[in-house]
Amino acid sequence: RESAPSTGDIDVDFRDLARRLPTLLDAWCVRRVQSICDDAGAVVVLSTSWRVLGLDVVRPILRDAGLTADVVDKIGREGGGRSRGMAIRAWVGYHRDVADGGAWVALDDRRDVYEDLGALHCVMTDDARGITDDDARAAVLLLGGEVSQ
């Protein structure tokens, strides 16, 4: 009978993740996020697991990848240990100044996030394809922007 691994068996090297992060970014997906921000006047709030690296590490990596939009914050513990979708919803509740007029959208490939947030606030992406042109258009429309050609 095997025993479950102890927490001492888990080793995460965040410095290594920070070094590898630029190679994990898809240039087309970054361009699509930038187009969402441009077309809808949006800013970026990180809910990805990359947020553990901190904004000071992630911002320059995203900037070097071509994202010039403001990365204003990251989702923290607002959800009180609940799901990521509920943490996003809680963050929006605490930061109404950023979610101006109730217009906000999450781009996520996790079904539970989509189920927590619903179709008015979440665009479900495909983890194998990343953010597509259709996803970007849907996000802009949900944010009340006009899709550029």
Side-chain angles (χ1 to χ4, degrees), residues 24-84:
L24 300 175
L25 292 171
D26 180 293
W28 287 106
C29 290
V30 172
R31 285 186 193 108
R32 289 179 184 114
V33 171
Q34 184 63 51
S35 74
I36 293 167
C37 294
D38 291 344
D39 292 349
V43 297
V44 175
V45 177
L46 297 176
S47 66
T48 173
S49 57
W50 300 346
R51 70 187 186 275
V52 300
L53 297 172
L55 293 174
D56 292 340
V57 172
V58 176
R59 279 182 182 133
I61 292 170
L62 291 173
R63 195 174 319 112
D64 289 347
L67 187 73
T68 60
D70 288 336
V71 180
V72 298
D73 203 358
K74 61 185 176 117
I75 302 297
R77 299 185 183 276
E78 290 87 358
R82 296 179 288 176
S83 69
R84 180 171 21 192

Side-chain angles (χ1 to χ4, degrees), residues 72-116:
V72 298
D73 203 358
K74 61 185 176 117
I75 302 297
R77 299 185 183 276
E78 290 87 358
R82 296 179 288 176
S83 69
R84 180 171 21 192
M86 296 313 292
I88 292 168
R89 191 175 289 286
W91 186 95
V92 170
Y94 292 134
H95 299 88
R96 285 287 176 201
D97 56 319
V98 176
D100 185 30
W104 59 273
V105 66
L107 300 161
D108 210 298
D109 61 3
R110 292 177 39 176
R111 172 131 325 264
D112 63 314
V113 174
Y114 181 82
E115 290 170 357
D116 285 345

